[in-house]
Amino acid sequence: MWPFKKRPDDAETDTVKFNDLLRDPGARQLLRALRERDWPTARDILTAADPEHFMFYMWCVSGADGLQEWIPDVIRAEPDSTLPLLARGAHAISWAWEARGSGTSSTVGEDQWKVWFQRLKLAENCLDEVIDRDPKCAEAWHYLIVLGRARQLPMEERWRRFNRLIEIDPTHLLGHQQMLENVMAKWSGSTEAMFDFARTRAAACPGTNIPLLVAQAHREQRRVEGSDKYLRRADVAGEIYAAAHNSFWHADYQRSLMTPMVWNQFAHALTVGRYFREACGVYDLIGDDWINSTPWRTTERFVTMRDRARDKADDPDLDPDLDED
């Protein structure tokens, strides 16, 4: 029997907390340093990081509030360093999205578009200078891939940027996820290109986090079709289950910083796809310590789906399926 409650109560959801910083002390210290405009501390954390931590830390930098107000002073003070340029370039992309907003293009005003393109150009200039001076900087290529989509560059140029990235870091997870976005139909790609990319890269990188792309491609297709019925199709759910075996369940897989993010997304997909017992094993790995906001959105949603998986694993004929909202 799985220990469970059929539905989350207030006491349980109050004790469940999202941990999007992956319980990493360096990330917490970095964000504190950025809030305090303490570049020497931030620089030390960034320069000491291994590639995966550096990828994650730059993601933290990209969303740091107010960075644009003081990072130009650091660039002037450290003209021989590409790190503050990289920080400014990555952050300028998020700053551009802040101006544009998250709505469709029809909701964006003329003044917003002007600021959007100005900030994207700032980002491109900074990142171009980084790769001119350090062509093997994986994070510069990663954020240039993001810009390829944001600026609607030709697909050939988007692919060039991605291919440069994987020459440097063949399993760069965030870069792969950004390229997956680039080839989606909503960004001038196609459904066929999206699945081909996800499946090709997953097959090329067994025993890594990259097979997660297969689950993410199916989640995007679910969004297009508008119903969880898509994810419950036997062929779709089966392919997601196989991708999990090609990823963190693979014999050669080594747990790393980003592993909890992979667990959360597969747990969600396996639950919706009715692989309840398998999902329960992933929920056990997640426990109370490794819950991410993506893809759950709310802690109540996480608890509801986890407990539903445990209910169904114990009694497949229990209550009706719970659709995404």
Side-chain angles (χ1 to χ4, degrees):
M1 300 283 288
W2 292 96
F4 63 86
K5 297 179 181 177
K6 286 185 169 59
R7 290 290 181 264
D9 58 28
D10 290 340
E12 182 170 10
T13 54
D14 284 348
T15 63
V16 172
K17 305 295 182 184
F18 285 141
N19 187 16
D20 288 334
L21 293 183
L22 305 176
R23 300 181 67 83
D24 183 78
R28 295 185 183 280
Q29 294 165 11
L30 175 62
L31 288 174
R32 184 183 309 115
L34 295 172
R35 284 194 301 270
E36 296 173 356
R37 304 187 178 192
D38 178 3
W39 178 252
T41 297
R43 180 186 59 216
D44 289 347
I45 294 168
L46 290 167
T47 55
D50 62 46
E52 186 178 44
H53 280 78
F54 188 61
M55 174 187 72
F56 183 61
Y57 291 168
M58 285 306 305
W59 175 81
C60 295
V61 170
S62 72
D65 290 339
L67 185 79
Q68 74 279 0
E69 297 171 3
W70 55 273
I71 198 66
D73 293 335
V74 177
I75 294 172
R76 286 189 288 271
E78 301 182 5
D80 295 330
S81 175
T82 59
L83 187 57
L85 270 173
L86 176 63
R88 191 183 192 192
H91 178 270
I93 300 173
S94 298
W95 195 32
W97 278 106
E98 182 181 311
R100 182 195 181 281
S102 58
T104 61
S105 60
S106 63
T107 67
V108 183
E110 183 178 350
D111 290 342
Q112 289 173 280
W113 281 124
K114 289 179 181 178
V115 177
W116 160 257
F117 287 115
Q118 288 170 356
R119 293 177 182 178
L120 291 181
K121 184 60 176 174
L122 169 64
E124 188 103 27
N125 289 343
C126 291
L127 297 170
D128 281 347
E129 184 172 346
V130 173
I131 61 169
D132 284 345
R133 294 162 59 180
D134 182 8
K136 293 186 178 181
C137 179
E139 289 314 308
W141 289 109
H142 165 208
Y143 287 99
L144 283 169
I145 293 167
V146 182
L147 280 170
R149 170 167 56 93
R151 299 188 70 198
Q152 291 285 278
L153 297 181
M155 198 61 72
E156 293 80 5
E157 174 60 16
R158 303 187 207 184
W159 276 109
R160 185 187 74 84
R161 296 176 180 200
F162 175 73
N163 288 330
R164 288 294 292 119
L165 171 66
I166 61 173
E167 287 174 9
I168 300 162
D169 185 349
T171 59
H172 190 290
L173 178 58
L174 299 186
H176 275 79
Q177 291 177 322
Q178 287 299 325
M179 191 62 201
L180 182 67
E181 290 274 347
N182 267 272
V183 297
M184 288 178 180
K186 63 184 179 182
W187 289 106
S188 305
S190 67
T191 300
E192 294 76 14
M194 174 181 71
F195 279 112
D196 180 67
F197 175 73
R199 289 163 177 156
T200 299
R201 293 307 300 160
C205 304
T208 72
N209 295 324
I210 302 305
L212 175 62
L213 297 181
V214 173
Q216 292 177 319
H218 280 300
R219 184 169 173 81
E220 168 63 12
Q221 189 61 22
R222 180 264 173 221
R223 184 194 66 80
V224 172
E225 299 202 8
S227 171
D228 278 353
K229 291 179 181 179
Y230 170 79
L231 292 176
R232 295 190 191 116
R233 283 171 32 185
D235 59 329
V236 171
E239 186 172 24
I240 292 171
Y241 174 64
H245 273 280
N246 200 33
S247 179
F248 69 95
W249 276 329
H250 192 281
D252 295 333
Y253 184 82
Q254 295 185 355
R255 179 173 170 175
S256 66
L257 175 69
M258 303 301 288
T259 297
M261 190 194 78
V262 175
W263 288 341
N264 277 263
Q265 297 204 40
F266 271 118
H268 177 276
L270 290 169
T271 302
V272 179
R274 296 174 168 170
Y275 277 76
F276 298 116
R277 290 192 176 277
E278 295 79 2
C280 286
V282 190
Y283 287 117
D284 287 345
L285 293 171
I286 294 169
D288 294 328
D289 293 333
W290 302 110
I291 308 167
N292 297 159
S293 59
T294 302
W296 315 106
R297 301 193 301 274
T298 68
T299 55
E300 182 178 16
R301 184 68 184 173
F302 169 80
V303 173
T304 297
M305 292 192 70
R306 180 196 63 190
D307 292 350
R308 173 173 170 267
R310 291 174 175 174
D311 289 357
K312 287 281 194 172
D314 199 52
D315 183 358
D317 297 323
L318 203 57
D319 52 12
D321 290 311
L322 179 67
D323 280 342
E324 284 281 351
D325 46 21

